[in-house]
Amino acid sequence: MYMLRRVFRSGIAGLLILGGFVGASTAVQAAEEVNVYSYRQPFLIQPMFDAFTRETGINVNVVFAEKGLVERLKAEGRNSPADLIFTVDIGRLADAVEGGVTQVVHDATLEQILPAAMRDPEGQWFGLTQRARVIYASKDRVPLEEARALNYEDLADPKWRGKICTRAGDHEYNVALFAAMIEKHGEAKAKAWLVGLRDNLARKPQGNDRAQVKAILEGQCDLALGNHYYYALMLQNEEQFAWAQAANMIFPDQAGAGTHMNISGMAMTKSAPNRDNALKLMRFLVGDLAQRMYAEQNNEYPLREGVDPSGLLESFGTFKRADQSLAAVAKLRPAAIRMINEVNFNAGPSS
Amino acid sequence: MSDAKAAVALGSRRVGTEGLWQIGGLLIALAVGLPILAVTWLAVFPSENIWPHLFETVLWDYIETTVRLMVGVALGSAVIGVGTAWLVTTAEFPGRRVFQWALMLPLAAPTYIVAYVYTDLLEFAGPIQSLLRDMFGWTSARDYWFPEIRTVGGAVAMMTLTLYPYVYLLARAAFLEQAGITREVSRTLGAGPWRTFWRVALPLARPAIVVGVTLTLMETLNDFGTVDYFAVRTLTAGVFNVWLTMGNVGGGAQIALVMLGFVVLLILLERLERRRRRYHTLATRHRRARRTGLGGAARWAAFGACLAPVALGFLLPGGVLLKNAVLFASESWSSRFPDFAINSLLLAGGAALLCVTLATFLAYAVRLRGGRILSSAARFASLGYAIPGAVLALGILIPFGAFDNAFDGWMRDTFGVSTGLLLSGTVAAVMFAYVVRFFALSYGALESGLGRIKPSMEMAARTLGEGPTGTLRRVHLPLMKGTLLTAALLIFVDVMKELPATLLLRPFNFDTLATYVYQFGSSEQLELSALGALTIVAVGLVPVVLLNQAVARDPSEVI
């Protein structure tokens, strides 16, 4: 009984503390600020936010999450504290626009710096960096010349049966690539291609892009689909250096339409209580400094022309980029994902 | 319950207070069930009907994989949990006293972290396969066969290893609770130890085991981290596929409801099981049976059988984490680490307290008046445990946002003042998510804890003039200390590990240990996440040890 009373008393004390804790964490900060919802991982974007705060004195508050931020914006409606939303690919940007949680921004700086294909024609979203969907080819088993001639279409060629690795079909990077194939070839041809690719898989799609390159080292596959910056990441990692060394990174389709590019991007939310600060942050992120940081720290291709990519990026060489409209690709994502289910891509080659 | 009703009749002059209990109970059940209602609402109004498409393509795959996973985890955790519980309760062998609590340890480790560790160990480039290749001169994966970890079988193994302690905890409590005399009588009547186990002990412990297995299965359904990492296509994976990639929240919610169908089935089975048994503990002190001393080979077989789950579920992954935590200490340390830990502790402690308080209220309200509506509402409120965390978070975002905006609109119209968002994006929303998610753990515990208290106890109290509240305070609560503690500790450990709802609902610049670990884990920088993961495990150890003591002290008070 005594013990119980004690438990209750400390319980009540706990609740009081918790009350204070709830209050403290929701207290509105008086300082200049801008609020960000981010699908991008913190370590990729925090350094730029810190630089922005140093330069302007404006605090950047962030919620990082992997899922559901668009839904959070929808639920919060006109009272949402968020000013900006950041994504790692065109898909989520399109979701945000479609969900009606973004607003049109017309800004001479942004429009002047960003190429037209890398921002929404209506001003709903803006690209920040570009990432290439490349092919990793085994140095030992795929002659460099042959690898360099590869395009995405070749991945369905039966000569690669049992030799290709990729992550899950419904991962956003693959979905965007498959949608781009639909945009390029139409649904029927794209589907036949996807069936061919599925049949060529060495194993059930799994792991992240890095894991695919590792599988090349391990001899499980000869070709793998992945994003380009993983090559840089692996080269800079003691343990993973050997993985990268096992593969050549190939920019596909150089004789044709060019390599498929996706973007990381941003949009201003409809509610945006700190509109001016948000615009300042947007301009800052397409500025020289931030773009250079992106290139150097994340090894993504800067969207701002004239910014030198990092030394490492330069060592990858220049290449032809597909100039597909990302807005068009984004619209085909539902078709792509239906196709992925229809061919049961994720079940792997046995299906 | 009819006994309880008789008790109520005795104290009819206090019916007024009981009415309040019932209304209060109903309100609690409704509040906890609110997110489930919101998800149902989403499912009823999808933006686009994707069922024909899913039906023709991947739905059956999802269902088949889910069933295989559930059957595997159920069998695995039942065998390990019951087997080890039986051994440490009835046999004497080296290390028994340590295993008694050590068998609980794997509960402290998040399943997806254990999955990361094993993938690193067992994959082609991992140390084990590399060693095998060196030893036998194999060069590529085509030269030999090695079990693939990223499969349904692998997921079953990971979940069994981290979830069997639920079954162990409950089975052990049940075995301890069976008065030793039952077993001794069985032995005296000529039954051997095996026969006693199968014919006497197991049937008596069955309800407890079923509850434990149900808990593991609800966790299994909820898991996304592991199945995603292993590319195992369960219904949970399907929810996210439809919601995130197809951009169809309604469709995702529909699949979530299919999952709830599984759970309702489970709960019905469990209720059916429980209904057959209703006995109230008579003795306050049990006579413990003497443990059988095992000889020779059997001693070491028992030792090995208990060591294996502890070693595989805790020591080995814990060791790998410890190694990485030390090697990468400077890179993974953040000066905000203590803040994260404090956030985690406060949230876990607060959620445990809230869950237990609300569950006590509701379970007691059901006991006082029973009634189909109230008890159904209580069961409905327990479903949150099986909904994937991110979907549950959606179910909270939507009503909270609607309330905030409606209230704000009304204030603007009436007083010209904007109140903004009162609930959305606050720690309160995160806390609410935990209560909804883990309410089942506390309600199940409290309900069965109350069930073990003889109605004659409260009849006596009520006859002597005590009201329902006083009876609860002075009779039931003191009798249920252990149950309350068990429930609170289980919730505490689970909140420490919770990730998806925390990520989505938290305020700006707010992190817990779990979200901090996730930052590194999601970018596959597992080495860097080790320190945080280890801290979660370490903090989780405290309740695990406390839990063990509670069981040993009085097994009748555990769930």
Side-chain angles (χ1 to χ4, degrees):
Chain A
M1 204 50 214
Y2 283 120
M3 176 181 156
L4 198 72
R5 235 175 250 156
R6 254 191 2 244
V7 168
F8 267 108
R9 222 172 276 150
S10 47
I12 287 163
L15 275 182
L16 287 177
I17 294 169
L18 203 73
F21 168 68
V22 172
S25 65
T26 55
V28 184
Q29 284 152 350
E32 284 280 290
E33 61 182 0
V34 53
N35 299 324
V36 170
Y37 284 176
S38 174
Y39 286 114
R40 293 221 74 172
Q41 289 156 0
F43 72 96
L44 287 180
I45 205 164
Q46 195 63 49
M48 290 72 157
F49 290 163
D50 292 344
F52 174 72
T53 304
R54 275 196 301 277
E55 191 175 300
T56 60
I58 300 169
N59 286 320
V60 184
N61 303 313
V62 196
V63 173
F64 294 104
E66 194 183 22
K67 307 177 183 75
L69 289 174
V70 171
E71 274 74 24
R72 180 161 166 179
L73 281 169
K74 279 188 206 167
E76 289 173 345
R78 65 170 169 180
N79 285 309
S80 175
D83 299 297
L84 294 171
I85 179 163
F86 284 79
T87 76
V88 291
D89 84 316
I90 183 64
R92 296 278 169 83
L93 278 177
D95 283 349
V97 174
E98 219 164 275
V101 295
T102 57
Q103 64 170 291
V104 170
V105 173
H106 285 300
D107 181 73
T109 316
L110 292 172
E111 283 160 16
Q112 190 196 330
I113 290 173
L114 295 173
M118 296 299 142
R119 51 186 162 85
D120 181 44
E122 283 156 29
Q124 298 273 13
W125 54 261
F126 299 86
L128 275 171
T129 59
Q130 269 190 314
R131 48 258 305 273
R133 195 90 184 126
V134 299
I135 293 174
Y136 291 94
S138 164
K139 274 186 185 165
D140 293 341
R141 299 182 293 278
V142 186
L144 186 56
E145 279 317 302
E146 188 185 0
R148 282 204 175 128
L150 284 170
N151 56 35
Y152 301 107
E153 288 76 4
D154 294 333
L155 296 178
D157 187 331
K159 75 179 270 201
W160 298 110
R161 177 115 337 155
K163 296 197 167 144
I164 300 178
C165 286
T166 183
R167 65 157 99 209
D170 51 358
H171 188 273
E172 54 215 14
Y173 301 154
N174 275 342
V175 172
L177 174 65
F178 300 164
M181 292 301 277
I182 297 176
E183 203 268 341
K184 207 164 151 188
H185 297 293
E187 287 218 20
K189 272 183 98 175
K191 189 170 176 180
W193 171 79
L194 196 61
V195 169
L197 173 57
R198 179 202 70 197
D199 290 342
N200 283 346
L201 291 176
R203 58 180 191 183
K204 190 176 73 170
Q206 57 188 273
N208 70 351
D209 282 4
R210 246 186 270 225
Q212 315 309 324
V213 183
K214 196 172 167 191
I216 290 181
L217 169 75
E218 294 160 359
Q220 285 182 290
C221 46
D222 293 351
L223 299 178
L225 270 170
N227 279 358
H228 80 274
Y229 48 81
Y230 287 107
Y231 201 60
L233 285 171
M234 289 183 290
L235 287 173
Q236 292 162 345
N237 181 306
E238 215 176 301
E239 186 198 356
Q240 298 168 3
F241 185 77
W243 311 356
Q245 284 298 301
N248 288 307
M249 185 175 76
I250 306 299
F251 292 105
D253 213 4
Q254 292 303 293
T259 300
H260 167 73
M261 307 297 285
N262 205 330
I263 53 166
S264 72
M266 58 185 172
M268 190 182 285
T269 68
K270 204 171 220 167
S271 57
N274 309 295
R275 212 173 174 277
D276 294 344
N277 290 345
L279 197 56
K280 277 184 200 161
L281 180 55
M282 291 172 95
R283 286 184 191 141
F284 176 84
L285 289 173
V286 298
D288 268 331
L289 175 68
Q291 290 278 303
R292 214 168 44 239
M293 286 174 79
Y294 268 120
E296 275 163 16
Q297 296 186 13
N298 305 349
N299 298 292
E300 292 174 75
Y301 288 99
L303 271 179
R304 187 189 177 107
E305 279 172 38
V307 173
D308 299 331
S310 66
L312 194 57
L313 279 183
E314 262 173 28
S315 74
F316 297 161
T318 53
F319 61 98
K320 182 175 177 185
R321 304 175 192 193
D323 60 353
Q324 261 175 321
S325 148
L326 279 174
V329 169
K331 282 210 177 68
L332 288 167
R333 286 169 63 246
I337 192 79
R338 270 200 306 276
M339 198 176 275
I340 290 160
N341 284 341
E342 277 159 17
V343 310
N344 210 354
F345 189 85
N346 287 326
S350 53
S351 65
Chain B
M1 278 315 136
S2 59
D3 292 341
K5 271 187 196 139
V8 167
L10 286 172
S12 53
R13 57 206 163 84
R14 300 288 189 114
V15 160
T17 8
E18 269 157 20
L20 288 181
W21 275 92
Q22 188 158 24
I23 293 166
L26 213 51
L27 284 178
I28 291 174
L30 263 180
V32 178
L34 184 67
I36 303 163
L37 292 174
V39 172
T40 312
W41 183 78
L42 281 176
V44 177
F45 303 104
S47 54
E48 176 201 349
N49 183 11
I50 42 106
W51 277 104
H53 167 73
L54 290 179
F55 200 84
E56 280 165 28
T57 57
V58 284
L59 184 68
W60 297 106
D61 258 12
Y62 291 156
I63 291 180
E64 192 203 317
T65 311
T66 306
V67 170
R68 281 168 58 203
L69 188 69
M70 287 173 72
V71 170
V73 175
L75 286 177
S77 48
V79 169
I80 298 182
V82 175
T84 52
W86 177 252
L87 280 175
V88 298
T89 317
T90 64
E92 196 56 70
F93 56 94
R96 189 197 63 83
R97 292 176 63 90
V98 175
F99 284 131
Q100 226 164 248
W101 56 268
L103 278 161
M104 290 290 303
L105 291 178
L107 197 60
T111 311
Y112 64 93
I113 301 256
V114 175
Y116 288 164
V117 169
Y118 273 101
T119 310
D120 268 3
L121 278 178
L122 295 178
E123 67 186 354
F124 184 86
I128 292 172
Q129 291 204 50
S130 301
L131 183 74
L132 287 175
R133 282 196 299 275
D134 284 350
M135 278 167 58
F136 298 103
W138 296 322
T139 50
S140 87
R142 285 165 201 157
D143 296 341
Y144 63 104
W145 179 86
F146 193 82
E148 178 66 55
I149 174 97
R150 290 179 161 182
T151 53
V152 176
V156 167
M158 296 301 108
M159 291 184 194
T160 301
L161 279 179
T162 49
L163 299 176
Y164 83 84
Y166 284 115
V167 182
Y168 168 78
L169 174 71
L170 293 169
R172 181 166 161 242
F175 290 143
L176 282 170
E177 193 190 18
Q178 293 166 4
I181 197 138
T182 326
R183 283 200 300 274
E184 278 173 13
V185 165
S186 160
R187 299 296 297 274
T188 343
L189 292 173
W194 284 106
R195 203 173 148 81
T196 303
F197 173 73
W198 286 111
R199 302 293 296 277
V200 179
L202 196 61
L204 278 175
R206 202 164 68 178
I209 295 167
V210 171
V211 176
V213 172
T214 310
L215 292 179
T216 63
L217 288 181
M218 286 171 99
E219 288 275 359
T220 302
L221 272 175
N222 188 289
D223 172 89
F224 178 66
T226 316
V227 295
D228 183 49
Y229 192 63
F230 278 9
V232 171
R233 321 296 299 172
T234 59
L235 283 166
T236 318
V239 169
F240 292 111
N241 173 300
V242 171
W243 168 22
L244 297 168
T245 357
M246 302 179 94
N248 187 334
V249 179
Q254 288 175 336
I255 305 183
L257 286 194
V258 172
M259 292 170 57
L260 280 192
F262 276 78
V263 181
V264 170
L265 207 68
L266 273 178
I267 292 178
L268 286 179
L269 287 176
E270 192 256 314
R271 295 279 154 182
L272 220 65
E273 189 65 48
R274 210 184 267 194
R275 190 166 299 159
R276 291 203 206 128
R277 163 191 105 141
R278 188 180 301 145
Y279 65 83
H280 308 289
T281 313
L282 296 174
T284 45
R285 283 277 173 267
H286 301 284
R287 195 173 147 229
R288 297 261 167 99
R290 252 170 281 138
R291 281 182 288 272
T292 322
L294 295 178
R299 288 160 60 90
W300 296 107
F303 176 80
C306 289
L307 180 66
V310 179
L312 294 174
F314 182 78
L315 296 178
L316 194 141
V320 172
L321 288 179
L322 184 65
K323 188 194 88 183
N324 283 329
V326 172
L327 281 178
F328 297 90
S330 58
E331 287 152 278
S332 44
W333 171 259
S334 153
S335 57
R336 291 176 62 209
F337 217 85
D339 290 341
F340 304 153
I342 289 170
N343 286 346
S344 285
L345 280 172
L346 282 173
L347 284 174
L353 196 74
L354 260 176
C355 274
V356 169
T357 311
L358 295 178
T360 308
F361 196 99
L362 184 55
Y364 192 62
V366 170
R367 181 179 174 99
L368 277 178
R369 261 289 168 75
R372 201 162 269 249
I373 297 175
L374 190 57
S375 52
S376 310
R379 273 165 221 177
F380 179 73
S382 299
L383 289 179
Y385 196 38
I387 303 185
V391 177
L392 192 65
L394 265 189
I396 291 171
L397 278 178
I398 289 165
F400 274 32
F403 168 82
D404 284 346
N405 281 304
F407 187 72
D408 174 76
W410 180 76
M411 289 293 280
R412 283 191 206 207
D413 291 347
T414 322
F415 303 104
V417 193
S418 169
T419 51
L421 300 177
L422 296 172
L423 298 172
S424 309
T426 63
V427 174
V430 179
M431 186 65 90
F432 182 62
Y434 295 152
V435 172
V436 175
R437 169 95 169 78
F438 299 118
F439 186 76
L441 278 179
S442 52
Y443 185 74
L446 266 293
E447 195 195 25
S448 66
L450 276 176
R452 272 191 295 265
I453 295 171
K454 282 179 64 166
S456 59
M457 303 276 266
E458 65 215 66
M459 286 188 205
R462 301 296 289 277
T463 326
L464 293 168
E466 190 68 88
T469 317
T471 310
L472 174 68
R473 190 167 58 85
R474 298 179 62 180
V475 178
H476 295 101
L477 286 183
L479 282 171
M480 292 199 303
K481 270 185 312 209
T483 310
L484 293 166
L485 185 71
T486 309
L489 292 175
L490 281 178
I491 294 164
F492 185 92
V493 178
D494 268 334
V495 171
M496 290 292 298
K497 298 187 285 188
E498 207 287 333
L499 186 61
T502 318
L503 273 178
L504 183 53
L505 294 172
R506 67 204 159 127
F508 287 105
N509 311 324
F510 183 88
D511 275 295
T512 63
L513 287 174
T515 64
Y516 184 68
V517 167
Y518 155 79
Q519 287 181 21
F520 297 118
S522 66
S523 54
E524 306 218 356
Q525 303 189 65
L526 301 180
E527 322 82 67
L528 298 183
S529 69
L531 186 63
L534 203 66
T535 315
I536 294 181
V537 173
V539 177
L541 283 185
V542 180
V544 164
V545 172
L546 285 175
L547 206 56
N548 172 70
Q549 285 172 350
V551 183
R553 210 177 303 123
D554 191 345
S556 68
E557 289 180 351
V558 173
I559 300 211

